Structures are given as structure tokens and as C-alpha cells.
Amino acid sequence: MTVTPGVIEGRGAADAGGRTLVELRHVDKHFGDLHVLRDINLTVTSGEVLVVIGPSGSGKSTLCRTINRLESIDSGEILIDGRPLPQEGRELTRLRAEVGMVFQSFNLFAHKTILENVTLAPRRVLHESKAKAEEEAMRLLDSVGVADQAGKFPAQLSGGQQQRVAIARSLAMHPKVMLFDEPTSALDPEMISEVLDVMVDLARRGMTMVVVTHEMGFARQAADRVVFMADGQIVEQGTPAEFFDHTRTDRAREFLGKILQH
């Protein structure tokens, strides 16, 4: 499966300047007494594919969700394309339109057709006409291989098809950056590859991506940089070759030793 050329010409395409699109400065986050993010400093440049891995409870999904303020932070600062992440209100809504999010559980509206799911935000947030939104939606659905499902409801699709619709829905907003929070963890094994194929194509076409995943094959193939987290901290980061072949920390070696055995 390949993403059709020309449908991802939005704000997330790589540029020659390699400007910083996402920046976290000294970010801390607690859930009660649990310190889930500890002094996180991280940048993501335009066109970069950043893959975040680590054991369960390491803080990686929380980190992903703070980037569009689905989770608030206790201290520190998050900037999107040089602008501080707003706390609330219209500015936050506008900024969220620039940050696409793909969840574990698809989060499609069950009572709306696939086409309606993809066109809803462009019509309401970007104020696109129905005709323009539907034309763009059909191009995107075709690009991820589910255009023939446009008139169906989510429950009529497989999990892999629903996740591909969710990706198309995010792309319809022409995001500057796409966030993926363990996008294959709710899928049956045979459906994982069809979603990863779409993500690999997005990466190759220059979409800026932050991907939380347990899929080590995807990390090796598509990542520009791998970030390893444990106990709420960034323990190690580097290129896939550096991380997988020349691991520097005992904690990362322990993690890889367990996960790569299976």
C-alpha cells in the first residue's frame, strides 16, 4: 500500500531549513504522587520522524499527549513552531488543528459515515465548503486504501481500516506534525502491517511525526531518531543504528534484550 503522491502537501512537509516544529523545555508532569515526566527536554525538527519507545509506564504516551495538551503539564514549556502551547480557548483549538493525533483506539464517531468522519473537522474548524472537504477526504481515503468504504460506518470496518481512516482524518487538517500514540496496539497482528505501511509512506514523504510504539521494525525502518524513555525520563536517544546496534545504557540494553527476544 502506498500513499498517493500529492495528497500530503500540507504544513507538515519537510523544508530545507529544518526548523524546530516541536520543543519541550524542562517539562514535568505528575499524576498525584506519580512523577510521570521528569525534566523532559526534546526538539523535533521539520520533516523528522521521532520514535519514542520504552517499557509500559515509562511516560512515553503522556509525553505524546502533552504536545497538543490532551494532558496538561505541571511545569516547563512546550512550543509548536516557535509558539508556546496555549492553556485553553480558541488559540488552543487553532493550534490543535496544526497537530494531528492518531490514537490507539481510532476514536472515530460511530454514528457518522467514514466520509463524514474525515470531513467534519475541515468543515467546522477550517470552514471548508462541503464539496472541497469531500473531494479532499476522498483523495486521502484513496491514499490509505479505504476510499471504497466511504459510505460505511466505523463498526463495519476492520480495526486496520478504521486506523487508516483515523490517519486520513488527521491528514485532512494539513497538520504541521502528526502524533501517533501506539497506533497499532489495539490491532490484530495481521492488521498491523497495513497501518505501518501507511505510516512508513508518510515518513518517506516528509511528514513530521512523533510516534510512540512497540514496533521495533518500524523504528529501525522509518525513524530518524529513536528516544528511549524509562521512569519518566529520556534515558538515551540516537539514530536507529546508534540505538539498536550501539546501545549506551544498561537500562536500554535490558529493555531491548527483553523485547527483541519475542
Side-chain angles (χ1 to χ4, degrees):
M1 183 186 307
T2 58
V3 178
T4 304
V7 299
I8 310 170
E9 65 279 330
R11 297 171 292 197
D15 60 51
R19 72 186 189 278
T20 298
L21 277 185
V22 179
E23 184 174 6
L24 287 77
R25 299 174 177 171
H26 303 291
V27 169
D28 275 80
K29 168 71 177 177
H30 293 77
F31 289 127
D33 293 333
L34 184 62
H35 199 171
V36 291
L37 295 179
R38 300 170 180 263
D39 194 29
I40 299 294
N41 292 277
L42 188 66
T43 60
V44 185
T45 59
S46 178
E48 183 177 18
V49 178
L50 183 80
V51 172
V52 185
I53 64 174
S56 297
S58 61
K60 55 190 186 295
S61 286
T62 301
L63 181 149
C64 187
R65 291 170 65 86
T66 63
I67 294 175
N68 65 353
R69 209 172 284 286
L70 287 175
E71 296 287 356
S72 62
I73 60 176
D74 298 328
S75 61
E77 189 176 25
I78 300 175
L79 297 91
I80 306 295
D81 205 5
R83 292 170 295 166
L85 192 59
Q87 293 287 338
E88 58 186 14
R90 290 183 178 180
E91 281 297 297
L92 179 58
T93 300
R94 181 192 54 74
L95 187 138
R96 277 181 174 159
E98 300 179 353
V99 182
M101 183 88 185
V102 178
F103 302 87
Q104 299 179 33
S105 54
F106 325 135
N107 285 17
L108 300 176
F109 292 106
H111 64 291
K112 293 186 179 295
T113 66
I114 296 309
L115 183 61
E116 289 169 339
N117 266 277
V118 178
T119 59
L120 182 64
R123 293 186 65 191
R124 289 192 178 180
V125 179
L126 302 181
H127 306 294
E128 291 183 0
S129 68
K130 180 179 179 181
K132 179 181 179 182
E134 289 186 349
E135 179 183 5
E136 174 73 359
M138 289 305 298
R139 285 206 308 270
L140 288 167
L141 290 171
D142 182 60
S143 78
V144 298
V146 290
D148 58 340
Q149 309 295 322
K152 295 183 179 179
F153 292 90
Q156 297 175 283
L157 275 60
S158 70
Q161 289 172 322
Q162 289 187 62
Q163 194 61 295
R164 284 183 277 153
V165 171
I167 293 172
R169 178 182 59 181
S170 289
L171 290 172
M173 296 296 288
H174 308 288
K176 290 181 176 179
V177 58
M178 289 274 286
L179 310 176
F180 294 83
D181 184 11
E182 300 194 23
T184 60
S185 64
L187 300 178
D188 292 334
E190 66 269 21
M191 297 177 185
I192 291 174
S193 63
E194 63 189 51
V195 173
L196 292 179
D197 284 347
V198 170
M199 293 171 62
V200 168
D201 267 324
L202 285 176
R204 288 174 176 165
R205 296 183 186 280
M207 175 60 68
T208 309
M209 300 164 63
V210 177
V211 183
V212 174
T213 186
H214 291 292
E215 299 293 335
M216 297 300 106
F218 174 84
R220 279 187 178 271
Q221 180 180 6
D224 295 301
R225 185 158 43 112
V226 176
V227 169
F228 174 72
M229 292 187 67
D231 303 317
Q233 297 176 300
I234 294 176
V235 176
E236 186 172 339
Q237 58 182 303
T239 67
E242 289 169 343
F243 179 74
F244 288 106
D245 301 330
H246 304 284
T247 313
R248 298 190 304 272
T249 63
D250 290 340
R251 186 66 184 88
R253 277 192 289 271
E254 178 188 3
F255 173 78
L256 289 177
K258 291 179 179 178
I259 199 166
L260 295 180
Q261 288 176 1
H262 302 285

